[in-house]
């Protein structure tokens, strides 16, 4: 795709992310945004916010998105792709609605969206689409001309997402003491979600035990494990594990939890573990706290050497992958032939989320899908 630099019909890229507080006074208002409509008392939010307060009330996610923005703009400029890049968040400034309003006033009429979530799930895809629909509805009430919005396909198995993670695992293994390195286990970590949400993730035909969410993570884990074996000559055992569970304890969520898994590996005689956060684009709070703080403390308590490998972040290969995905979708929308790049067994994901894909908890309009009210 490097020789195809025509992004038409698109006239802008929107980086759409979760958002995070940037100071102590932001923490509770941010959590109120995240949990709006759930009736959670402010005192409980203050307790939850302790994770942020331990780090000065600052989530790293916004700075990491700024770094990704810089990487995308640099890559686009170096390859002659004239496509402005904007940034909006679901839960903190810059807010999505404000950014879309700015884009419309700048004359942007055909927008392609990159969400900082690589996999299929309600919270990782459809909820972002619902937020887009909410923002468009607000702009409509303001009398603004609405842009047409599309969303880039899931990129979990794009080489530009997978290869930086392979490098991260290899570096983490190399950082372990010589006497435990070859026996190290790889724990591929991702965000736990309710099993009911996992089972209905992806298109209807993918629904079932774990749905597309689990299948996609397992495919990526196999890709990385196989590449690590080829690079190191060692076949490291691995498992997909989960972290960052929240919500009512009676609701089943995906397991095992990373801390429980570390206990099990220690009991099984595993000499060391590399934690590879494949479910996250960047080292935001749920990596910084749940892995670097909580899980690392558990490993120290167990006397188990651990290392945590890097997320993709602003790696130039990921920026290049975004460029390729934009050009791929632009070619498809323009009726041009295109090669869709994907590793592993699952192949490239769909461009347009079909009806019934990652269904909502309650019916809500969602943009950039087959069921979008905004054609």
């Amino acid at each position: 795709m490097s020789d195809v630099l025509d992004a038409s019909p698109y006239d802008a890229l929107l980086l759409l992310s979760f958002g995070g507080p940037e100071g102590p006074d932001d923490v509770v208002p941010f959590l109120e945004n995240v949990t709006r409509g759930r009736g959670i008392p402010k005192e409980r939010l203050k307790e939850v916010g302790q994770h942020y307060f331990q780090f000065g009330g600052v989530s790293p996610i916004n700075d990491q998105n700024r770094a990704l923005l810089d990487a995308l703009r640099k890559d686009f400029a170096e390859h002659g792709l004239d496509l402005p890049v904007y940034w909006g968040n679901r839960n903190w400034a810059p807010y999505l609605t404000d950014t879309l309003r700015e884009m419309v006033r700048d004359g942007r009429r055909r927008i392609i969206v990159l969400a900082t979530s690589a996999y299929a799930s309600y919270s990782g895809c459809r909820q972002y689409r619902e937020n887009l629909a909410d923002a468009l509805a607000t702009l409509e009430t303001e009398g603004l001309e609405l842009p047409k919005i599309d969303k880039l396909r899931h990129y979990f198995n794009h080489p530009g997402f997978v290869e930086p993670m392979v490098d991260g695992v290899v570096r983490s293994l190399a950082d372990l003491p010589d006497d435990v390195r070859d026996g190290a286990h790889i724990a591929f970590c991702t965000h736990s979600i309710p099993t009911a949400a996992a089972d209905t993730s992806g298109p209807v035909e993918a629904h079932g035990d774990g749905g597309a969410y689990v299948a996609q993570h397992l495919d990526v884990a196999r890709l990385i494990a196989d590449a690590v074996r080829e690079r190191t000559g060692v076949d490291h055992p691995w498992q997909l594990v989960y972290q960052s569970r929240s919500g009512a304890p009676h609701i089943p969520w995906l397991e095992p939890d990373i801390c429980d898994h570390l206990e099990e590996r220690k009991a099984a005689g595993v000499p060391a573990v590399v934690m590879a956060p494949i479910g996250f684009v960047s080292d935001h709070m749920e990596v910084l706290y749940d892995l670097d703080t909580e899980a690392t403390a558990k490993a120290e308590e167990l006397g188990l050497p651990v290392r945590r490998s890097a997320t993709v972040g602003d790696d130039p290969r990921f920026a290049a992958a975004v460029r390729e995905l934009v050009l791929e979708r632009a070619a498809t929308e323009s009726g041009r032939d295109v090669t869709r790049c994907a590793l592993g067994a699952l192949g490239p994901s769909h461009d347009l989320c079909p009806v019934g894909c990652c269904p909502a908890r309650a019916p809500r309009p969602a943009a950039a899908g087959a069921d979008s009210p905004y054609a």
Side-chain angles (χ1 to χ4, degrees), residues 90-103:
R90 284 172 46 184
N91 298 299
W92 202 248
Y95 288 103
L96 169 60
T97 301
D98 295 336
T99 299
L100 273 183
R101 186 183 296 111
E102 176 189 359
M103 296 176 81

Side-chain angles (χ1 to χ4, degrees), residues 231-278:
R231 293 263 294 271
T232 66
V234 178
D235 190 8
H236 292 274
W238 61 270
Q239 186 171 340
L240 179 63
V241 302
Y242 302 92
Q243 62 175 89
S244 311
R245 177 191 167 133
S246 61
H250 67 280
I251 297 175
W253 284 55
L254 293 173
E255 296 179 335
D257 175 79
I258 178 60
C259 289
D260 295 337
H261 181 68
L262 293 175
E263 290 184 343
E264 292 166 359
R265 294 301 87 202
K266 176 64 176 179
V270 168
V273 173
V274 168
M275 301 182 292
I278 62 172

Side-chain angles (χ1 to χ4, degrees), residues 317-352:
R317 288 168 292 183
F318 182 50
V322 174
R323 168 172 41 87
E324 291 178 5
L325 289 166
V326 168
L327 294 172
E328 170 198 295
R329 183 63 179 273
T332 300
E333 292 295 310
S334 300
R336 303 191 300 269
D337 291 334
V338 64
T339 299
R340 295 162 59 83
C341 191
L343 301 174
L346 298 181
S349 184
H350 50 262
D351 280 333
L352 193 68

